[in-house]
Amino acid sequence: MLKTKSERLLLLLAVLFLAAGMALGLASGTLLHHIGIALRCASIGLLSVFAFERRSLTAWIFVAMVAGAELGFDAPTIAVNLRVLSDIFLRLIKTIVAPLILATLITGIAGHGDLKSVGRMGLKSLIYFEVATTLALVIGLIAVNLSHAGVGLSLHASAATPGQTAPVATSIHWQDFLLHVFPENLAKSVSEDQILQVAVFAIFFGISLAGLNQEKRAPLLSFFTSLSETMFKFTNLVMYFAPVGVGAAMAFTVGQMGLGVLLNLGKLLLTLYIALIAFALLVLLPSALLFRISLRSFLSAVAESATIAFATSSSEAALPSAMESMEALGVPRRIVAFVIPAGYSFNSTGSTLYLAVASIFVAQAAGVHLSVGEQVLMLFTLMLTSKGFAGVPRSALVLLFATAATFHLPTEPIFVILGIDAIADMGRTAINVVGNCLASVIVAKWEGVFGEEAASPIVLEGVSE
């Protein structure tokens, strides 16, 4: 959200200058061309002032995307030589993927303690989470296959490094896939970027760790919790280089292909939001009706949390409000305390839908045809690797790189996607929060305890303010 009038004015002037500069850039005549360049540079300057005032990494990424597109458009010879900067960023991201997925999955599973103690409530929660997540992935895959948002980018030629050819999708026999899912050596899986094998190892390890008593579980759980927090901090540090990497990648892409890439980004964004709306209408709404949840009461209770999530693009920012509002609605505290935090690891439906859309977009942009079987394999991979990432800033970037590595896809489209990630993040985060709140109500209804436990006066006071 824009906090001050000066920010709004800066952004408005920047947009107007950029639009005018682009229009003049397409006009004939040397003078008009130079005026267009001046207006576009002025727009980038205004956006830089805006980003400086906002002190936001997202704002700087957006500025870098615009600056990179401008450089690629007006100085393609220089722009195509900047790829090394995006490659540096890519290498830094690749070092994060395996340890982060390993640590977050293990802590997400083992952190809930003895699996037997969660009993019926835990089982029902996990069933709902997996059904909702799977349907989100399916809707995302259908939407992007219908829209063909990535078709036409033709990034396959630039995807390969010198001496390599563009990746080609190959058929995978189900027996080979089944054998390939299970790791024979964790270190080998990590070194070869076999993220699905890392995820399977983490799941078995997490379940085994959860089966130990508290005394024996605590040291390892503490280690992996510390490792995951360290990798999140590592991610945050690497993301400071994101504007440089994104700007260089955008400059390289536009320098190679022209401004047509922006049309595909618009189609991707439209596809995502249509898919999110479809998920809300085809999955969340029927789920609420099936369990006879009052839509008016639920929407009134979740409105504040969803708004916070949409405005901040942070599930964690909405967590306190979500827990308070659901308890005030009639969900017992013990269910709220279990389902909503667990949902942040296992029920990130908005994020998984986005990952499905973005992953197929990358394949389409690379000119790689994925069969139905290979897309189902990608769906299964995302279903596993997305666990434990909700609420983590820039987590989609890490998972997209992991998916690209697993399926041997190029990375240039991911850098392009990052330019609109902030806008995409708003919608998918709001769906994450609404889905988790709805899950807590459904579990309470399923258990037959909805409305049986009065909310504490402090919670009611907080909701009424």
Side-chain angles (χ1 to χ4, degrees):
M1 295 176 67
L2 302 181
K3 299 178 181 178
T4 65
K5 290 183 179 180
S6 64
E7 288 182 348
R8 298 189 191 98
L9 181 60
L10 278 171
L11 193 57
L12 177 61
L13 287 174
V15 171
L16 290 176
F17 280 21
L18 183 61
M22 290 176 66
L24 290 175
L26 298 175
S28 58
T30 304
L31 179 61
L32 291 179
H33 178 70
H34 287 309
I35 293 174
I37 292 176
L39 286 173
R40 293 194 297 273
C41 290
S43 172
I44 294 170
L46 290 172
L47 286 173
S48 299
V49 175
F50 169 78
F52 182 79
E53 288 193 357
R54 293 284 287 178
R55 301 185 184 279
S56 165
L57 182 61
T58 298
W60 281 113
I61 289 174
F62 178 73
V63 173
M65 183 187 72
V66 176
E70 164 63 18
L71 183 62
F73 182 67
D74 285 315
T77 305
I78 297 174
V80 295
N81 292 318
L82 296 179
R83 186 178 179 183
V84 64
L85 298 176
S86 64
D87 287 343
I88 290 172
F89 182 58
L90 170 61
R91 288 190 173 209
L92 290 172
I93 287 291
K94 282 185 174 181
T95 63
I96 298 169
V97 174
L100 187 54
I101 287 178
L102 180 70
T104 52
L105 273 175
I106 290 174
T107 54
I109 294 171
H112 296 298
D114 186 358
L115 295 179
K116 295 180 181 178
S117 67
V118 300
R120 224 174 33 249
M121 179 177 65
L123 180 61
K124 290 176 179 178
S125 299
L126 290 176
I127 289 173
Y128 175 78
F129 291 163
E130 290 310 312
V131 171
T133 301
T134 302
L135 291 175
L137 288 167
V138 170
I139 289 173
L141 287 177
I142 292 174
V144 73
N145 277 290
L146 290 176
S147 72
H148 301 289
V151 174
L153 271 181
S154 301
L155 286 178
H156 56 283
S158 64
T161 55
Q164 291 180 325
T165 57
V168 178
T170 55
S171 299
I172 301 176
H173 195 276
W174 72 268
Q175 292 174 328
D176 296 327
F177 160 64
L178 189 61
L179 182 63
H180 194 67
V181 165
F182 297 94
E184 58 179 331
N185 184 301
L186 179 61
K188 181 181 177 182
S189 300
V190 171
S191 66
E192 295 179 353
D193 288 328
Q194 298 297 331
I195 303 303
L196 184 57
Q197 294 181 7
V198 174
V200 170
F201 175 87
I203 289 171
F204 278 100
F205 193 97
I207 292 173
S208 302
L209 188 59
L212 301 178
N213 60 43
Q214 180 63 30
E215 182 181 355
K216 294 180 179 179
R217 182 174 69 243
L220 272 178
L221 184 57
S222 176
F223 168 77
F224 283 109
T225 301
S226 181
L227 176 60
S228 64
E229 291 297 318
T230 302
M231 295 314 299
F232 290 150
K233 180 63 71 173
F234 193 149
T235 303
N236 292 339
L237 290 174
V238 171
M239 288 308 299
Y240 284 119
F241 191 66
V244 177
V246 171
M250 181 62 75
F252 174 81
T253 303
V254 174
Q256 286 280 90
M257 302 169 43
L259 291 174
V261 65
L262 300 180
L263 177 62
N264 292 86
L265 287 178
K267 289 174 65 176
L268 173 63
L269 206 56
L270 184 61
T271 300
L272 171 65
Y273 273 86
I274 290 175
L276 290 173
I277 292 171
F279 175 76
L281 294 177
L282 299 177
V283 178
L284 298 184
L285 178 59
S287 299
L289 295 176
L290 178 64
F291 286 90
R292 299 184 179 183
I293 297 170
S294 170
L295 291 178
R296 179 176 296 180
S297 299
F298 175 75
L299 291 176
S300 176
V302 80
E304 179 182 329
S305 304
T307 302
I308 292 172
F310 187 84
T312 64
S313 300
S314 170
S315 299
E316 290 181 343
L319 179 61
S321 172
M323 296 183 72
E324 270 193 343
S325 60
M326 290 303 101
E327 185 175 339
L329 185 63
V331 181
R333 177 171 292 184
R334 66 183 186 277
I335 292 181
V336 169
F338 174 81
V339 175
I340 292 183
Y344 273 50
S345 292
F346 296 96
N347 192 41
S348 52
T349 49
S351 295
T352 50
L353 188 152
Y354 168 77
L355 287 168
V357 170
S359 298
I360 300 300
F361 176 89
V362 170
Q364 291 175 349
V368 177
H369 174 71
L370 296 176
S371 67
V372 174
E374 288 163 339
Q375 291 193 34
V376 170
L377 170 58
M378 181 177 285
L379 181 150
F380 180 67
T381 304
L382 290 170
M383 194 186 308
L384 291 179
T385 57
S386 63
K387 305 307 181 189
F389 275 82
V392 179
R394 320 287 187 227
S395 61
L397 175 67
V398 177
L399 289 175
L400 280 176
F401 276 117
T403 304
T406 301
F407 291 88
H408 309 293
L409 298 174
T411 55
E412 279 77 4
I414 301 177
F415 288 107
V416 175
I417 291 171
L418 189 57
I420 61 163
D421 187 66
I423 302 175
D425 201 15
M426 297 167 76
R428 69 183 185 234
T429 304
I431 289 294
N432 284 345
V433 171
V434 172
N436 285 330
C437 288
L438 181 61
S440 70
V441 181
I442 286 175
V443 172
K445 285 273 190 178
W446 202 348
E447 287 285 286
V449 295
F450 181 79
E452 290 187 357
E453 184 178 304
S456 73
I458 296 177
V459 167
L460 294 175
E461 180 182 348
V463 171
S464 64
E465 291 179 352

